[in-house]
Amino acid sequence: FYFSERSKGRVLLDVIGGDRTPATAITKKDRQREIDLRRSLSALNGQVMHATQAASRDEIVLAELKRSRETKRLEYEDFRANLYASHPELRLARAALPTVQAPEAIELLSSPSEAIAIFVAGPQRTWAFAITVSGIKSFELPVSTQQLGKDVDHFLHQLANRDLRAPETARRLYELVLGPLRATLHDKTELVIIPDGVLWNLPFQALRSGSGRYVIEDLALSYAPSVTILREVMRLRRPVPPPATFLAFGNPAFGTEVTRRERPGLMDGRLEPAPETELQVNLLGQWYGASSRVYVGTEAREERWKSESPRYGIVHIATHGVIDNRSPLYSHIVLARPEKGSTEDGFVEAWEILDMRLNARLVVLSACETARGQLSAGEGVIGLMWAFFVAGSPAQVVTQWRVDSASSAELLVAFHKEWNAGRQNISKARALQLASTRLLRSREYSHPFYWAGYILVGDHR
């Protein structure tokens, strides 16, 4: 367990625990250079977008623009590397945070009904550790790591296609992954899952026990990159509450279709408007009342996101998210097409989120596959949720696959009402459990495709 913790999420842990020194020591020349490079990147994003959508599209011109954008990305990354070399005080200080050991992990449990399940994927075998108030137990899963990966992919394919055979696969995966922990978890009601490797893609909530019950029916689930990171994000309590409660962006006006050619990572080649998300955020704005602010359509712009999100305690984004597995820090959230003359491009990229300081105790990304990203040994998922942790948000609700807009609206409105910003003394994990089971027991959305796509990552309280 100790050596597993030492290897998990070290880069993320260093950043979360680091001292984010304000960039006041650099020269005006360097600051201007940084601004110019960012503007150039935004301009090239816009040029690629327009060239992609032009009726008389020139593939040669488009290819050249994409090469120019990639060159500018490398130039910006090289600038930042040299800047930090010249100004070591600007680099995120590497925190000497001690690795959590078993007794300290047990201290994170607030009651005997809670448990933590840690998975470690080796080249051949995968192990699990179960932490309860009674101690720690280890298990070896009865399947090779390679076969487990194939089984998880098969399950995801079934879910994506609303396959009626998915419940049977869910039972088999339950026996493989959680079956060895059954006796240890039998009296628990809340479980924190620390996945590894391909298990980051597994919706544990959609697994089904031999009795026919889905895991979410018996356990309020949450996820974290490691126990040590969980400890640190649970410490991210703001000394002064943000002045406003709820900020939301929904159904931004893209103008015209955004295609895969323009932004890599799209699954079906296009992003379509989602009017259900507009209804979703408007309902939530009414629920939270006077301290809320909602932007939809052309108003859901990147400039507003950057200027206003640090002032809110809850941030809810209901739009498309695109994962770039080749360059994870260019994974992005799609907002409205910028106004003429804007220096933004309408795409909130992970590297931009890294540079922000949020005060939100919860960020909800009601988007497509926002939990997905590059799977790296020892680092977990590097993507949008990684960036939000660094920006200061200790908890996020994110998606594991391309979710349905209508069912998402119903689930997330139910989640917010159950949690009610913590005023009803109910944990975020429990609120998501109640919202998920509400859909599970409905006639229209009973298949796990509709309710199991959302997970809570980080501080589950």
Side-chain angles (χ1 to χ4, degrees):
F1 167 76
Y2 176 73
F3 285 103
S4 165
E5 276 298 300
R6 287 189 62 182
S7 67
K8 282 180 180 283
R10 295 308 307 179
V11 172
L12 177 56
L13 180 62
D14 287 336
V15 175
I16 290 175
D19 175 19
R20 293 171 64 93
T21 308
T24 56
I26 62 175
T27 64
K28 287 185 177 180
K29 180 179 179 180
D30 282 339
R31 171 56 66 194
Q32 189 59 50
R33 175 63 174 157
E34 187 171 35
I35 293 172
D36 290 343
L37 285 168
R38 289 186 180 184
R39 286 177 174 171
S40 295
L41 273 173
S42 294
L44 283 166
N45 279 331
Q47 291 174 40
V48 170
M49 177 174 62
H50 292 305
T52 300
Q53 297 171 348
S56 55
R57 184 167 64 212
D58 188 325
E59 296 293 343
I60 295 177
V61 171
L62 182 60
E64 181 58 36
L65 284 171
K66 288 183 176 180
R67 282 194 292 270
S68 297
R69 182 174 64 180
E70 186 61 27
T71 299
K72 189 61 66 175
R73 285 178 173 180
L74 293 173
E75 185 180 353
Y76 178 66
E77 290 166 5
D78 184 60
F79 167 79
R80 284 169 65 95
N82 290 329
L83 181 67
Y84 290 142
S86 301
H87 303 277
E89 70 278 12
L90 299 181
R91 183 179 295 277
L92 296 173
R94 293 278 176 159
L97 294 171
T99 299
V100 166
Q101 301 195 47
E104 297 166 300
I106 294 172
E107 292 177 1
L108 295 178
L109 303 173
S110 60
S111 77
S113 64
E114 294 184 2
I116 303 173
I118 304 105
F119 294 89
V120 183
Q124 304 298 326
R125 312 297 298 183
T126 297
W127 291 267
F129 300 94
I131 297 177
T132 67
V133 292
S134 302
I136 181 170
K137 294 182 179 180
S138 62
F139 308 86
E140 183 177 338
L141 302 192
V143 61
S144 70
T145 299
Q146 183 180 18
Q147 184 59 49
L148 183 59
K150 293 179 180 178
D151 291 344
V152 170
D153 288 343
H154 176 62
F155 186 42
L156 291 175
H157 178 77
Q158 288 183 321
L159 292 176
N161 291 282
R162 286 78 151 178
D163 195 322
L164 296 179
R165 295 167 294 182
E168 182 55 39
T169 305
R171 286 191 184 94
R172 186 160 55 85
L173 276 167
Y174 177 93
E175 292 301 323
L176 293 176
V177 178
L178 291 179
L181 289 68
R182 184 188 289 108
T184 304
L185 301 178
H186 79 280
D187 59 345
K188 308 307 176 191
T189 59
E190 292 200 30
L191 178 64
V192 178
I193 297 170
I194 314 292
D196 195 21
V198 72
L199 289 179
W200 267 108
N201 296 334
L202 177 64
F204 283 78
Q205 58 276 9
L207 301 184
R208 208 168 188 183
S209 67
S211 64
R213 291 177 64 82
Y214 287 104
V215 168
I216 196 64
E217 295 183 82
D218 299 316
L219 291 167
L221 297 181
S222 62
Y223 295 73
S226 76
V227 178
T228 309
I229 288 173
L230 177 63
R231 179 187 63 183
E232 294 310 309
V233 298
M234 289 174 72
R235 291 176 176 175
L236 290 177
R237 295 288 184 176
R238 302 299 175 194
V240 179
T245 300
F246 180 79
L247 174 69
F249 295 79
N251 194 28
F254 309 127
T256 54
E257 290 180 357
V258 182
T259 69
R260 185 188 309 182
R261 291 177 181 275
E262 175 206 343
R263 302 296 289 182
L266 299 186
M267 298 297 292
D268 62 1
R270 66 180 62 194
L271 295 178
E272 300 285 359
E276 296 90 349
T277 64
E278 187 168 334
L279 174 63
Q280 176 190 140
V281 296
N282 282 326
L283 284 173
L284 290 171
Q286 295 172 18
W287 175 259
Y288 281 103
S291 63
S292 68
R293 194 68 182 267
V294 174
Y295 294 107
V296 298
T298 58
E299 298 300 307
R301 295 196 301 272
E302 184 177 1
E303 294 94 337
R304 284 208 167 100
W305 150 256
K306 289 182 176 178
S307 65
E308 298 194 27
S309 57
R311 305 204 314 265
Y312 287 82
I314 304 167
V315 177
H316 186 107
I317 307 170
T319 180
H320 292 282
V322 178
I323 298 301
D324 187 341
N325 279 319
R326 291 175 297 178
S327 302
L329 290 182
Y330 291 100
S331 299
H332 56 276
I333 298 163
V334 183
L335 291 179
R337 183 182 294 279
E339 294 181 322
K340 186 176 181 180
S342 172
T343 59
E344 304 294 354
D345 55 15
F347 306 117
V348 181
E349 294 176 309
W351 65 266
E352 295 177 287
I353 297 170
L354 288 172
D355 285 343
M356 297 184 69
R357 294 305 293 151
L358 297 177
N359 291 291
R361 60 185 184 279
L362 176 67
V363 172
V364 178
L365 297 177
S366 176
C368 297
E369 299 178 300
T370 45
R372 301 292 295 277
Q374 177 173 295
L375 293 173
S376 303
E379 292 304 335
V381 176
I382 301 174
L384 290 171
M385 67 176 184
W386 195 97
F388 277 106
F389 273 135
V390 174
S393 172
Q396 301 147 46
V397 173
V398 293
T399 58
Q400 288 185 301
W401 57 72
R402 293 177 62 80
V403 292
D404 174 74
S405 294
S407 60
S408 292
E410 187 165 329
L411 184 144
L412 291 171
V413 169
F415 163 76
H416 279 282
K417 288 183 177 179
E418 293 287 357
W419 181 49
N420 197 17
R423 287 189 289 271
Q424 298 186 46
N425 198 30
I426 182 174
S427 71
K428 295 183 285 290
R430 174 66 174 155
L432 185 57
Q433 179 192 29
L434 292 172
S436 299
T437 53
R438 175 177 174 177
L439 265 67
L440 186 164
R441 291 164 185 162
S442 70
R443 177 176 298 180
E444 186 177 4
Y445 299 128
S446 60
H447 193 282
F449 166 79
Y450 294 105
W451 52 262
Y454 284 91
I455 61 173
L456 173 67
V457 184
D459 189 351
H460 56 285
R461 297 172 295 179

